[in-house]
Amino acid sequence: MKGVDRSFTLEELLGGNTRASLQPRIESLVGGATALTGSGGEPLWGRIPDGASFRVPIQLELEPIGHLVSDVPDMPRLRAAAALLGFLLRQRAQYLMASDLHIETVQADYEALLAKHAELEESERRLRELSSQLEQRVEAQVALLDERQRQLYEAERLASVGQLAAGIAHEINNPIGFIRSNLGTSRKYVGQLRAVRDALQGGSAETLERAREIDVDFILDDFDDLLRDCLDGADRIARIVRDLKGFSNVDGAAEESLDLGENLSVVCDMLAGQLPPGVALHRRLAPLPTLRCRSGHLNQVFFNVLRNAMQAVGEHGTISVAASAEEGGVCIEIVDDGCGIAKEHLGRVFDPFYTTRAVGEGTGLGLTVARDIVQSHRGRIDIASKPGSGTRVKISLPAEAA
Amino acid sequence: MVSRATSEQGGAALMAEFDEELGRLTVKVVYYGPAQSGKTTNLMQLHDLAGPELKGEIMTLETQNDRTLFFDLLPVGLRAPSGLLVKLRLFTVPGQVAHDGTRKAILSRADAVVFVADSRRNQTTNNAESFDNLAANAARVGLDFATLPLVIQFNKRDLPDIDSEAVIREQWREAPWPLTFASAIGGEGVRETFAALLGQLYPALDAQFALDAQHGLSAEAFVAGLCDGDVALRAGG
Ligand SMILES: Nc1nc2c(ncn2[C@@H]2O[C@H](COP(=O)(O)OP(=O)(O)OP(=O)(O)O)[C@@H](O)[C@H]2O)c(=O)[nH]1
Ligand SMILES: Nc1ncnc2c1ncn2[C@@H]1O[C@H](COP(=O)(O)OP(=O)(O)OP(=O)(O)O)[C@@H](O)[C@H]1O
Ligand SMILES: [Mg+2]
Ligand SMILES: [Mg+2]
């Protein structure tokens, strides 16, 4: 047992050195030789004299912890010496108990400190874990945002396909309209021609009279014209449908040999239907060598650049599209006299998601995608602009495209 | 041979140490309470009173302006008719809040507690905090507070600005412990408090160590022997 609950023996309380220095002093107090015995009677110093000797208990708490024995027949001196020893022993015991107590409480404090330290480390560890999780979460969030942006872009693309579809519908409706009206008129002509035939096969004088009023020459001429117009219209529709197939051929990304001039005119045709009345679209398309490339992808490049030009000119302006053969490939230039691009923005127009358009009106991917496609054909796209006077986009594609 | 009471021996097992070889039973009593409530004074008075049959010297350890730093210890005792030495070691704890570690260490293995409260009204909070601290430390050192023999002493009855005994008794009506009132500085109520504690302690000791049956030590003789050194009461044994 430790601390205040421990019990002591005389031996524990009086170390060898203490005993050695105490003995002569006690003996000079008592006035003769003494012996000190422990609770079991064993001598701690001196020799227990034979025969009659004087024996006084040494008290620590209630019971004797030992005895002082002597031949000197002076009990008061012996008792005083024993009391003195008792006093010394109590001091010593007190000191030992207090120091045990001190060690015990310090130990407890230390353990509490250790526990607290462990707790601290634990909470720090949790914090670190949390912050690393936070990083992961942020990354996931950013990935999600990127994903959303891409989805937005897809949606935008779909919307522009929708716009295109509207333009195309317009283009197709027009010929269908006049084909229909031509056929209506043709049917009337067929009825009149049948009446003429009936009269000629021996009708009444009355029918003959009516047939004579029909201008068969006019009908035949006009009929001819109407049918020719109808054939033209049908051809136009067939061409639009063919173009459309080519244009939408983005995912069937097989390379084919083609004349880019045709692609350019298709895209121009598509957009022409959407131009405001104040905007003119000029084309100067020289004959081009055929290139091996992905038609649908390049259509998208032209479309993105042309749409930017349209947005730049707004309600009034001129857009010109020029294509020419150049050393080792083709060069396409799309020039507008629209708002232009400020110098500080020019360096960023190819950056993904860089846009100056109002929220929801542009994703800032148009030129990024255009450049990706051009580069995948080993070509290059350059943009030059002057704020207030316009923008020129130059696309060069090598004949030996990837 | 030393046998130590363990909880397997049933409910309110005491920590008391029974040394068969030496014929000695050692019991630990702790005077607990807020700083300056008079714990040390109680012990000094017990020492000075005619008191117990056997009484050792009081050890009062280093004090700093009168305040207990470690503990005070007063050993008292009696010899049962069987020859058994019943030894009570009376401790005080330091009341100052800062010495909680020491308080806890001294409280450990206690067999009984005297809680010394300061009767002054402005000490109510200190008393309550110290009492909560006693309950908390008892739990920490594995004492069953519900069965621990305990007496509550309201000290410093000589001072003004205190509640009357009736008011205090009313306030503590629900509590299971005996209340005593004392003015330890003048010695009043110190012996009564100790006697009340012995009254609480005896049944537990007797249940565990058969004081009456095996050692011929009755409750009255136990209290009288430790409070008054009244040898006459035990003369028949
Ligand atoms: N008036 C009055 N003063 C008392 C009484 N009991 C003790 N005191 C005084 O209160 C002060 C503190 O008494 P202590 O016995 O040292 O108190 P303690 O509880 O041991 O204090 P700590 O050791 O600090 O926990 C001393 O000045 C005592 O004289 C009392 O009944 N009445
Ligand atoms: N012809 C142009 N005239 C003026 N500014 C232009 C022109 N082309 C591009 N820009 C500027 O460059 C920016 C980026 O163009 P980009 O085509 O990459 O994205 P966007 O047009 O804003 O959005 P979208 O993804 O819908 O095309 C535009 O927001 C615009 O400020
Ligand atoms: Mg754009
Ligand atoms: Mg004290």
Side-chain angles (χ1 to χ4, degrees), chain A residues 106-181:
Chain A
V106 166
Q107 183 70 28
D109 284 353
Y110 178 67
E111 271 157 21
L113 218 77
L114 279 185
K116 191 162 247 164
H117 181 68
E119 257 171 47
L120 241 128
E121 277 192 334
E122 170 64 14
S123 71
E124 223 168 76
R125 190 189 62 71
R126 273 205 306 272
L127 201 78
R128 269 200 304 275
E129 203 178 278
L130 225 101
S131 74
S132 77
Q133 275 177 9
L134 195 75
E135 253 165 52
Q136 282 170 13
R137 278 185 213 170
V138 166
E139 269 167 29
Q141 200 71 34
V142 166
L144 191 74
L145 278 175
D146 273 355
E147 173 71 23
R148 292 251 168 91
Q149 284 282 27
R150 251 177 284 128
Q151 285 172 354
L152 206 72
Y153 179 65
E154 286 300 317
E156 188 85 344
R157 243 180 59 180
L158 280 180
S160 49
V161 168
Q163 256 177 28
L164 265 180
I168 291 158
H170 182 76
E171 290 291 292
I172 293 180
N173 255 340
N174 197 20
I176 284 180
F178 67 75
I179 288 174
R180 218 188 165 285
S181 110

Side-chain angles (χ1 to χ4, degrees), chain B:
Chain B
M1 209 208 79
V2 173
S3 81
R4 174 153 296 284
T6 64
S7 49
E8 287 128 59
Q9 286 173 287
L14 297 179
M15 299 286 184
E17 189 187 328
F18 182 61
D19 190 327
E20 211 171 321
E21 215 171 296
L22 293 175
R24 185 177 66 190
L25 176 64
T26 309
V27 179
K28 183 175 185 181
V29 175
V30 174
Y31 279 69
Y32 212 95
Q36 301 281 81
S37 65
K39 301 175 290 291
T40 301
T41 310
N42 261 273
L43 230 58
M44 303 275 224
Q45 292 292 344
L46 272 179
H47 180 255
D48 294 347
L49 290 172
E53 181 189 316
L54 298 170
K55 183 170 67 180
E57 288 304 316
I58 187 165
M59 296 183 191
T60 51
L61 259 114
E62 289 99 312
T63 61
Q64 201 179 42
N65 317 322
D66 240 15
R67 303 186 132 197
T68 305
L69 270 187
F70 287 98
F71 61 91
D72 307 306
L73 167 57
L74 174 66
V76 297
L78 61 73
R79 210 164 273 284
S82 68
L84 177 74
L85 171 67
V86 180
K87 175 172 159 187
L88 267 65
R89 301 178 88 213
L90 313 183
F91 285 96
T92 68
V93 297
Q96 289 178 89
V97 178
H99 297 306
D100 197 46
T102 310
R103 222 169 9 251
K104 197 179 85 186
I106 291 169
L107 184 65
S108 94
R109 297 178 192 285
D111 296 302
V113 170
V114 174
F115 184 83
V116 181
D118 190 325
S119 293
R120 285 172 294 174
R121 286 201 191 97
N122 61 8
Q123 297 298 304
T124 311
T125 311
N126 287 344
N127 291 335
E129 276 170 4
S130 177
F131 197 79
D132 289 346
N133 175 251
L134 168 62
N137 275 340
R140 277 185 210 130
V141 300
L143 295 178
D144 181 6
F145 197 58
T147 56
L148 181 71
L150 173 67
V151 170
I152 298 171
Q153 177 194 75
F154 283 85
N155 188 29
K156 305 198 182 178
R157 300 303 296 166
D158 56 302
L159 293 179
D161 195 31
I162 57 173
D163 285 322
S164 72
E165 290 194 21
V167 167
I168 292 174
R169 285 196 187 283
E170 179 57 26
Q171 282 166 352
W172 286 77
R173 198 185 49 219
E174 303 285 321
W177 309 288
L179 303 184
T180 62
F181 295 86
S183 178
I185 201 161
E188 293 112 51
V190 170
R191 186 199 157 282
E192 288 75 7
T193 302
F194 187 48
L197 183 82
L198 294 175
Q200 293 279 294
L201 182 58
Y202 181 85
L205 278 180
D206 186 44
Q208 210 165 317
F209 302 104
L211 292 185
D212 200 10
Q214 275 187 27
H215 300 283
L217 184 61
S218 68
E220 299 75 39
F222 179 74
V223 175
L226 287 167
C227 277
D228 311 320
D230 191 341
V231 185
L233 259 174
R234 298 177 291 110

